[in-house]
Amino acid sequence: MTLYIGREASKLWKRICAETTTEVNLLLDNWKYLLAGLIFQYIHGLAARGVHYLHQPGPTLQDLGFILLPELGQDKAYISETVFTFIFLSFVLWTFHPFIMKSKKIYTVLVWCRVLAFLVASQMLRIITFYSTQLPGPNYHCREGSKLARLPKPESVLEVLLINFPRGVIYGCGDLIFSSHMIFTLVFVLTYQKYGTRRFIKQFAWLVAIIQSFLIVASRKHYTVDVVVAWYTVNLVVFFIDKKLPELPDRSNGSSPLLLPLSTKDKDSKTKEENHKLLNGNSIDPADWRPRTQVNGKTLEDANGIHVDTAMNGA
């Protein structure tokens, strides 16, 4: 038993070392994209902090979700945050599973480059929306009479730049018309939908995303429109950006090389080159040459000789 555990531990350590070497090489090639994505997360938080200074509390807008869903109350607001934390941590752990699992389909660095691209595009749209129109926040700390509903004018630029993390993010107001929690949730679920391998986990992830949507509205953290906009916008953003990015190499067969696939432009140029060679009479692969027989001025392609004999007899 001890020998078996020692052998498995040795295999696991070798797997971790090999995967670390691979991921470090990828990180050296893609660190700029990861850094840019992480910096934009700070910019997104800074923008949310800035719009809080512009927030004007007022009567809560009429909302169908508020009418249909029972209000959880301020003391149960932690439920939606708990569900979001579960989604976030589960996805992060899944992206690092190639370090310890035998079945590998993704590269951690490449997946996070893709995820950050989706997040940045969605968050840019979110910043544009909540700076275009400021709405009175429906959350409890954003209502009239709350000390956190209005932020006093900052005494220095440093006060704004520090954004009072994480309290300033949790108790923000004014960053509406687009739910930040739903951006992260949908990006994570869509990513696992494409690169995950467990069907029941995919179905469970979509169910949790739907539950999270209802909890956000029931907790009065966002209006229903914020959740609805996030649902169709994030799906569109992921769809169009995913088409522009090169496809990730599939590791499920265990023999894929550590090379990024060709971009769409490279594929187009390669196709044009092949067509040019064919037009000039130069075949791409000699194995694709087929015997051709000319009968009555017509060129017949033959794979097994039967059609040629028939044509000759008819002639």
Side-chain angles (χ1 to χ4, degrees), residues 296-308:
N296 292 337
K298 297 180 179 180
T299 302
L300 302 178
E301 292 192 4
D302 177 44
N304 52 16
I306 298 177
H307 300 293
V308 176

Side-chain angles (χ1 to χ4, degrees), residues 65-122:
F66 292 177
I67 298 174
L68 297 178
L69 293 176
E71 187 173 355
L72 289 179
Q74 192 170 4
D75 58 331
K76 296 181 180 179
Y78 68 90
I79 297 177
S80 63
E81 290 295 330
T82 303
V83 173
F84 176 74
T85 303
F86 168 75
I87 296 172
F88 188 91
L89 294 179
S90 299
F91 181 80
V92 172
L93 290 176
W94 171 75
T95 59
F96 285 92
H97 82 273
F99 285 87
I100 57 175
M101 301 293 290
K102 291 182 179 180
S103 57
K104 305 172 184 179
K105 190 178 180 182
I106 62 168
Y107 292 103
T108 302
V109 170
L110 298 183
V111 164
W112 275 108
C113 286
R114 220 172 187 83
V115 167
L116 287 172
F118 300 151
L119 291 175
V120 167
S122 300

Side-chain angles (χ1 to χ4, degrees), residues 35-51 119-120 123-128 130-131 160-163 165 169 175 180 184:
L35 182 61
L38 293 175
I39 291 175
F40 194 85
Q41 299 309 303
Y42 167 75
I43 295 175
H44 174 251
L46 186 64
R49 175 72 171 178
V51 79
L119 291 175
V120 167
Q123 289 166 342
M124 286 179 64
L125 295 175
R126 181 173 189 260
I127 292 172
I128 293 173
F130 64 60
Y131 269 105
V160 180
L161 295 178
L162 291 178
I163 68 175
F165 184 84
V169 176
D175 51 337
S180 177
F184 281 92

